[in-house]
Amino acid sequence: MPGPAAGTAHAATTTDVVCLGESMVTFLPSQPGRLADVPSFGRGIGGAESNVACALAAAGHRAAWVGRVGADGFGDHLVETIAGYGVDTSAVRRDPGRPTGIYFRTATDRGTGAHEVAYYRAGSAASAMSPDNVPYGEVFAGRILHLSGITAALSGDCLALLRELTAERPGRPLVSFDVNHRPHLWRGGEADASVLLELARRADLVFVGEDEAEEAWGIEGAEAIRAALPEPSVLVVKRGSAGATVFSGLRPGPRSSNAGGAESGPGSRSTEGAGAGNAPDTVTHVPALHVDVVAAVGAGDAFAAGFLSATLRGLPVRDRVRHGHLMAAAVLTVPGDLTEPPARDHADRLAALDDGAWGRLRLGPGWTAADRAPEEVRTS
């Protein structure tokens, strides 16, 4: 099985982040209600990895998306829309024999029982991604390679590809992995849990929600999740309204690749015995923001983009998490999965607030306007 040739890693990096995965055309309902009752839908795009790439490009970074789409109108729409955000789509491949994936969803929160999603992605062009047809030179061209567990669920070939991309090799870029547990995409029963754990343990930076860790692995609590994932240099445990907890520590050998360092921020504490080789961890907890939510979609991808953006800039861990929260708040206060992020200086001012002022922030629609100073954002 061919893989990347020696020397294809990022020796001459010109890209900050490369995101690889499936993007689909999404049809958004014109009104709330069951899919059976919605009379019409508007067209958008959806895809965890392309969402991250778009958010990073909109925030001023050099981002690329690598994927596979059909040689059809929906594929044209995806590539043109993602490129419109400033993302490099030159490595996207067109498949003349398979269609671009699409899906329909209801307007309700994904966390409620009323939420419905109808996927039409089986046999899609993206599901044919494999170690044999991916452009490794482009995939390894960035400082960071961002992947997610969704890709692993698409097909056996896609899983083989993720195993290839997360394998240790000299010069490998920092591998960022969002667990993104989607049980409905898997057909292997318990296999999804073990596969996601395997891939997460091979990455350098991992994002996982407390809820999905409990659902997939039966693990409760941030410390227990770290015990199950000792290898990543940085583990970000998302805790919903409670905020996020980050475990960070340099790992020995090639796994210590860090794209901006793993320095700790204010309020951090060190704990012995965590991580690979019992290296000491720095544990940083950052409370979530109070947000007047318009639509609870795309927030996880936006959080990852904000965290990666701040990582590329070498900011302290606390500020990386705060930028994640801010980027997520920008998406939560609009109807779709993507939006223009706050201007960098605006986000920097908010991220630099003291703990008391941070805790009083309440962000609603329109908060990202560039002319709004921190004191003008509503407080609770």
Side-chain angles (χ1 to χ4, degrees):
M1 179 179 295
T8 59
H10 59 133
T13 298
T14 59
T15 303
D16 291 324
V17 181
V18 175
C19 303
L20 178 145
E22 179 172 33
S23 189
M24 295 176 291
V25 172
T26 175
F27 289 91
L28 311 175
S30 59
Q31 64 186 44
R34 301 184 311 153
L35 285 178
D37 301 326
V38 175
S40 60
F41 296 81
R43 185 178 66 176
I45 66 170
E49 300 84 3
S50 60
N51 284 348
V52 172
C54 289
L56 284 166
H61 296 284
R62 298 164 299 179
W65 172 58
V66 178
R68 195 173 181 88
V69 300
D72 50 33
F74 287 146
D76 293 341
H77 175 66
L78 278 175
V79 174
E80 292 167 7
T81 303
I82 293 169
Y85 280 88
V87 176
D88 180 356
T89 58
S90 61
V92 176
R93 298 295 187 258
R94 310 301 291 261
D95 189 326
R98 296 178 179 84
T100 302
I102 65 172
Y103 74 99
F104 297 77
R105 67 171 174 83
T106 54
T108 51
D109 188 335
R110 288 175 178 167
T112 71
H115 184 67
E116 298 175 72
V117 180
Y119 286 106
Y120 299 90
R121 70 197 304 180
S124 70
S127 70
M129 288 189 295
S130 78
D132 299 322
N133 61 24
V134 162
Y136 287 99
E138 288 91 338
V139 170
F140 288 138
R143 295 170 61 192
I144 297 174
L145 171 61
H146 181 70
L147 308 167
S148 93
I150 294 173
T151 305
L154 299 181
S155 69
D157 282 342
C158 284
L159 173 55
L161 174 62
L162 284 202
R163 284 178 167 144
E164 185 69 46
L165 296 180
T166 56
E168 290 190 24
R169 58 174 47 86
R172 186 184 84 173
L174 184 147
V175 173
S176 166
F177 182 74
D178 194 334
V179 170
N180 266 332
H181 183 224
R182 301 288 189 268
H184 56 275
L185 293 179
W186 293 86
R187 302 182 185 87
E190 296 292 322
D192 60 325
S194 60
V195 165
L196 292 174
L197 190 63
E198 170 201 341
L199 293 172
R201 294 183 67 176
R202 293 157 68 105
D204 302 297
L205 164 59
V206 171
F207 299 95
V208 62
E210 264 190 333
D211 55 346
E212 53 185 359
E214 183 175 359
E215 181 181 34
W217 306 320
I219 300 172
E220 297 184 36
E223 296 282 350
I225 296 171
R226 181 50 157 171
L229 291 170
E231 292 87 357
S233 295
V234 179
L235 172 66
V236 182
V237 180
K238 298 176 291 183
R239 307 177 64 197
S241 60
T245 298
V246 180
F247 298 85
S248 54
L250 292 177
R251 299 289 177 259
R255 299 298 298 278
S256 63
S257 171
N258 196 275
E263 64 271 44
S264 60
S268 303
R269 62 183 176 85
S270 294
T271 56
E272 297 296 327
N278 290 326
D281 257 336
T282 297
V283 183
T284 308
H285 177 71
V286 180
L289 289 161
H290 302 284
V291 180
D292 296 332
V293 176
V294 172
V297 292
D301 303 330
F303 179 92
F307 191 95
L308 291 174
S309 172
T311 297
L312 287 162
R313 297 169 60 200
L315 299 184
V317 171
R318 185 206 69 168
D319 291 0
R320 299 181 194 191
V321 181
R322 285 190 171 188
H323 277 277
H325 286 322
L326 289 165
M327 194 83 86
V331 168
L332 288 170
T333 50
V334 298
D337 290 31
L338 292 166
T339 189
E340 187 74 18
R344 181 173 289 185
D345 60 347
H346 185 191
D348 283 344
R349 290 198 303 271
L350 294 179
L353 292 174
D354 62 50
D355 290 346
W358 176 263
R360 291 191 297 273
L361 283 179
R362 188 178 189 103
L363 305 180
W367 76 267
T368 60
D371 59 348
R372 300 189 72 174
E375 61 270 15
E376 294 173 321
V377 177
R378 288 200 299 132
T379 58
S380 55

